Amino acid sequence: MEKLLKGIAASEGIAIAKVYKLEKAKLNIKKILINDFQKEITKLEEALIKAKEQINNLKLKALKKLGEEKAAIFDAHLGILLDPELKEQVFNMIKNEKINASYAFLIISKNFQELFAQMNDPYMKERASDIKDVSERVLSILEGKEIKDLSLINQEVIILAHDLTPSETSQLNPKFVKGFVTEIGGKTSHSAIMARTLQIPAIVGIGDEIFKFKDQSQILIDGTDGILICHPDQKTKKLYQTKKEQELIFKKEEKTFKNKSSQSKDGWKTKIAANIGSPDDLVSYHNFGAEGIGLFRSEFLYMESENWPTEDEQFNAYKKVLQDLKSNLTVIRTLDIGGDKTLKYYQFPKEMNPFLGYRAIRVQLDQKKLLITQARALLRASAYGNLGINLPMIATVDEFLEVKEVFKKVENDLKKEGIKIGKYQLGIMVEIPSTVILADKFAKYSDFFSIGTNDLIQYTFAVDRMSKSVSYLYQPFNPAILKSIKTVIDSSHKYNKWTAICGEMASEEKLAPLFVGMGLDEFSMSATSVLKIRRIISKVDKKDAEKLVEKVLNLETSQQVEKILTDYLNKIL
Ligand code: PEP
Ligand code: MG
């Protein structure tokens, strides 16, 4: 009988194949007292050498298959493996407590994992899974239970696993591995990101029910909607076969949009830009034909650094992006730190509600030196391209004018120093309801608006964007949000300014026609979504979409809006 499970859609596409359960060899490591500690230390040294060889091999394979950026994960693994601190602690434990190498390595690596898992910074948190990956490898070698080599799979399967480590994911051969499903994980876990790079369907965080399925039984996965069906019947298979064919046609059609401009069926023009986190993301920017950078989250530069990045370090990163973009607009956002984004080298004040506290522009207004350093780097870089500067979490007109003053002063200082400055625009992120309510006042001063819908939803519904228990209130389709967006766009147009959306709502297919109807000037999103949205926009009739806006803004609930937008999308595609 058919059985259906729902998980998190991690990588789109449909696959049907036999189950391959990845059950890892159980390592039952016990504490054993030993006499000859030197022997244990030698054993561990040999295991570390072997692990190093294995990781180097994986790195070479990943370089060929996934490219340099993804293969870099194995440099991180080597870093952990060769970390002198970890090694020293294990050696000391073996010596001092006279115990076996496996047990000592297990305990010390677990301590390291916990340390990282407790960190607030999501990037550092992710490192915990890397340490686990490396530690499992070393322990398997020590215990003589080698890890399965997934690159040897030679029949079509869908892998079901508790989780897939980066080294396991990099071994997958898409010719045979048609997809994977994991018990745990989220949209941004390493395995999910790699699945998207390999372009194989994947579902994560589905729960432990998957382990009840037998090896070799047939399953179907829909990575676009996060659905798994075990023992699909003929009717289901046919249904999904049609959906798959449809998706393939869409994908093929999407590719033809790469070098086209973004415009509606009746010729109304907009722009689709990309969101990036570092100059490394420029590859995707070019691959998917984006028309500018709508959001460069500069905080990643700060998060990846060991200390506050200097003016020159920032200048070089900004200049690189601006030069690459040529005349296309690059909007760089000033430091948006705090909330869930922390820094290794700076202790934030402990607050009851960090998302409502010392965050983003508030930090830089309080510590002006940080703002001045970044402003100097940005304005120096402005000579190399077409720059927009975007201020996060602005709540009042006073705050904006205060920052504007700082930029004016920095500009004068640089000119006095004989440094060339290009033209630049200074705008604000609209992500706090007070800026929506006073949008017509802000529009007098701000060169543009960029709506950060991720936060705007959070602050409009008073719903923590990280909370699971109240996630039902996180409603992008609610008329309250849609009315706010329309207010912002209209206010900007009244003053001949422009509006972008750079939050996740910009890449929601069903909302694209609505935003066309509202006259949104720029959609900004992860580069991989650009072609999907450009294609949809090309099917929309602007006049028709304006009527859709009127209809939708008169509705009361999120469900009502989503229903109308779903029907509309089905009609035009
Ligand atoms: C947003 O809030 O929508 C946004 C784009 O910023 P971030 O997700 O970085 O907070
Ligand atoms: Mg935000």
Side-chain angles (χ1 to χ4, degrees):
M1 220 185 49
E2 272 195 2
K3 180 154 178 62
L4 190 144
L5 296 177
K6 177 109 180 65
I8 299 166
S11 176
E12 60 184 26
I14 290 161
I16 180 161
K18 300 241 165 75
V19 165
Y20 177 101
K21 273 203 275 185
L22 181 65
E23 281 168 306
K24 296 189 184 160
K26 287 238 174 336
L27 295 172
N28 193 10
I29 296 165
K30 293 217 168 64
K31 183 175 181 175
I32 304 169
L33 292 175
I34 42 112
N35 292 325
D36 187 356
F37 70 78
Q38 195 49 51
K39 200 168 140 199
E40 290 302 300
I41 286 182
T42 312
K43 209 168 128 189
L44 181 58
E45 296 240 343
E46 284 168 4
L48 293 176
I49 293 170
K50 194 157 177 198
K52 190 175 154 195
E53 277 168 18
Q54 290 183 354
I55 297 174
N56 271 327
N57 272 336
L58 286 169
K59 188 180 155 189
L60 285 178
K61 277 189 199 166
L63 263 175
K64 273 196 214 139
K65 220 159 60 183
L66 299 162
E68 208 163 310
E69 200 186 328
K70 295 285 180 298
I73 188 77
F74 296 108
D75 287 325
H77 281 198
L78 287 171
I80 295 164
L81 187 77
L82 304 174
D83 181 38
E85 174 83 17
L86 175 81
K87 202 165 143 182
E88 194 185 319
Q89 286 193 29
V90 182
F91 283 179
N92 285 342
M93 196 170 185
I94 297 174
K95 255 196 263 175
N96 300 340
E97 300 189 24
K98 300 213 166 23
I99 54 169
N100 51 326
S102 300
Y103 190 75
F105 195 85
L106 177 74
I107 299 297
I108 302 292
S109 64
K110 263 205 176 138
N111 291 346
F112 273 71
Q113 271 171 56
E114 274 160 25
L115 196 77
F116 278 80
Q118 280 161 9
M119 293 188 181
N120 285 330
D121 176 351
Y123 176 80
M124 298 309 274
K125 247 191 205 326
E126 276 293 336
R127 301 284 72 75
S129 66
D130 292 331
I131 301 173
K132 186 160 177 259
D133 194 341
V134 172
S135 139
E136 275 173 12
R137 177 171 306 283
V138 175
L139 291 172
S140 309
I141 298 171
L142 281 169
E143 294 292 297
K145 292 180 178 167
E146 300 287 312
I147 292 174
K148 268 189 196 167
D149 184 349
L150 298 179
S151 66
L152 299 178
I153 293 176
N154 58 6
Q155 52 164 309
E156 292 196 355
V157 295
I158 292 172
I159 295 180
L160 305 186
H162 168 68
D163 188 19
L164 281 177
T165 61
S167 34
E168 284 161 345
T169 320
S170 72
Q171 293 168 29
L172 306 182
N173 178 353
K175 189 169 162 213
F176 296 114
V177 178
K178 294 293 159 196
F180 68 77
V181 183
T182 60
E183 178 189 349
I184 62 164
K187 242 190 165 113
T188 54
S189 51
H190 280 315
S191 49
I193 294 167
M194 285 208 188
R196 293 195 283 273
T197 308
L198 287 167
Q199 298 192 322
I200 58 173
I203 305 171
V204 296
I206 203 163
D208 58 5
E209 283 269 300
I210 42 171
F211 298 114
K212 294 190 184 142
F213 304 146
K214 293 209 168 68
D215 257 330
Q216 297 293 315
S217 42
Q218 196 176 48
I219 58 167
L220 183 156
I221 60 168
D222 174 357
T224 314
D225 290 327
I227 288 170
L228 177 156
I229 301 169
C230 190
H231 301 306
D233 61 24
Q234 281 312 323
K235 205 169 132 212
T236 306
K237 280 195 222 170
K238 211 163 157 222
L239 198 82
Y240 276 93
Q241 187 54 33
T242 315
K243 192 172 172 196
K244 189 172 173 174
E245 280 159 16
Q246 211 35 273
E247 280 191 358
L248 285 175
I249 294 170
F250 287 174
K251 278 264 156 290
K252 223 166 137 188
E253 203 191 325
E254 275 173 17
K255 282 202 185 118
T256 65
F257 282 86
K258 184 171 163 186
N259 298 315
K260 288 189 183 158
S261 60
S262 306
Q263 62 179 62
S264 67
K265 204 161 106 185
D266 46 344
W268 172 83
K269 282 209 167 94
T270 183
K271 244 171 57 178
I272 309 187
N275 293 350
I276 64 166
S278 87
D280 294 344
D281 297 333
L282 288 170
V283 180
S284 281
Y285 162 82
H286 288 293
N287 280 347
F288 293 98
E291 297 160 279
I293 303 284
L295 172 65
F296 177 173
R297 289 180 161 99
S298 72
E299 59 270 19
F300 285 100
L301 225 85
Y302 289 72
M303 283 156 68
E304 281 157 20
S305 191
E306 293 303 318
N307 215 321
W308 295 108
T310 62
E311 181 185 319
D312 278 347
E313 279 164 354
Q314 293 190 52
F315 165 71
N316 287 329
Y318 304 151
K319 178 179 159 196
K320 192 167 173 191
V321 177
L322 282 159
Q323 281 182 322
D324 193 76
L325 269 272
K326 300 197 174 80
S327 62
N328 278 348
L329 182 67
T330 302
V331 177
I332 303 179
R333 178 169 75 183
T334 56
L335 178 63
D336 184 1
I337 204 73
D340 60 336
K341 297 175 203 153
T342 55
L343 298 170
K344 280 180 254 181
Y345 46 86
Y346 176 73
Q347 188 64 45
F348 280 83
K350 291 251 172 303
E351 294 182 287
M352 294 280 278
N353 296 298
F355 271 108
L356 300 178
Y358 198 61
R359 233 196 110 177
I361 201 67
R362 301 166 184 191
V363 177
Q364 284 192 318
L365 276 173
D366 181 48
Q367 303 187 51
K368 287 265 172 50
K369 242 176 82 190
L370 295 177
L371 180 59
I372 292 169
T373 306
Q374 187 164 30
R376 285 182 62 93
L378 285 165
L379 296 191
R380 279 171 59 196
S382 68
Y384 297 89
N386 185 1
L387 174 68
I389 300 165
N390 191 359
L391 311 172
M393 292 279 292
I394 290 283
T396 68
V397 172
D398 306 328
E399 278 178 329
F400 180 56
L401 295 181
E402 197 180 337
V403 181
K404 221 174 159 164
E405 274 303 304
V406 174
F407 272 88
K408 266 270 141 307
K409 167 136 193 353
V410 168
E411 197 179 325
N412 286 335
D413 289 348
L414 288 171
K415 277 182 186 154
K416 272 188 222 148
E417 291 167 37
I419 293 170
K420 200 174 150 233
I421 293 171
K423 272 205 193 120
Y424 68 95
Q425 303 185 47
L426 187 62
I428 63 163
M429 291 282 292
V430 176
E431 43 192 354
I432 300 181
S434 61
T435 51
V436 175
I437 297 165
L438 288 191
D440 57 341
K441 304 288 181 242
F442 278 99
K444 281 198 275 185
Y445 308 110
S446 185
D447 293 328
F448 64 90
F449 290 139
S450 186
I451 309 179
T453 51
N454 306 341
D455 277 316
L456 186 62
I457 298 172
Q458 154 163 276
Y459 298 125
T460 301
F461 296 101
V463 53
D464 183 341
R465 71 194 248 194
M466 315 287 275
S467 165
K468 248 193 171 150
S469 42
V470 288
S471 61
Y472 77 97
L473 275 172
Y474 199 87
Q475 298 188 356
F477 292 100
N478 192 294
I481 287 294
L482 302 173
K483 268 197 175 164
S484 296
I485 293 175
K486 171 118 184 359
T487 302
V488 176
I489 297 174
D490 290 348
S491 305
S492 67
H493 291 173
K494 219 161 74 189
Y495 287 87
N496 283 326
K497 309 287 175 69
W498 57 277
T499 296
I501 294 181
C502 63
E504 291 304 303
M505 279 175 77
S507 56
E508 171 53 60
E509 297 171 51
K510 292 174 202 159
L511 288 168
L514 196 73
F515 295 151
V516 170
M518 291 184 188
L520 181 67
D521 305 282
E522 181 181 288
F523 296 63
S524 191
M525 60 193 69
S526 139
T528 50
S529 297
V530 167
L531 298 177
K532 175 180 85 179
I533 297 300
R534 188 174 289 150
R535 172 177 166 270
I536 293 174
I537 290 173
S538 77
K539 314 263 178 193
V540 178
D541 181 272
K542 175 86 165 64
K543 288 263 168 315
D544 206 26
E546 284 168 8
K547 287 189 203 128
L548 180 72
V549 173
E550 255 177 62
K551 205 154 132 194
V552 160
L553 293 190
N554 272 317
L555 297 173
E556 291 169 0
T557 69
S558 179
Q559 285 84 350
Q560 291 167 348
V561 174
E562 194 167 359
K563 164 92 181 56
I564 288 205
L565 294 182
T566 309
D567 292 347
Y568 191 84
L569 192 66
N570 288 338
K571 191 181 87 186
I572 60 167
L573 287 184

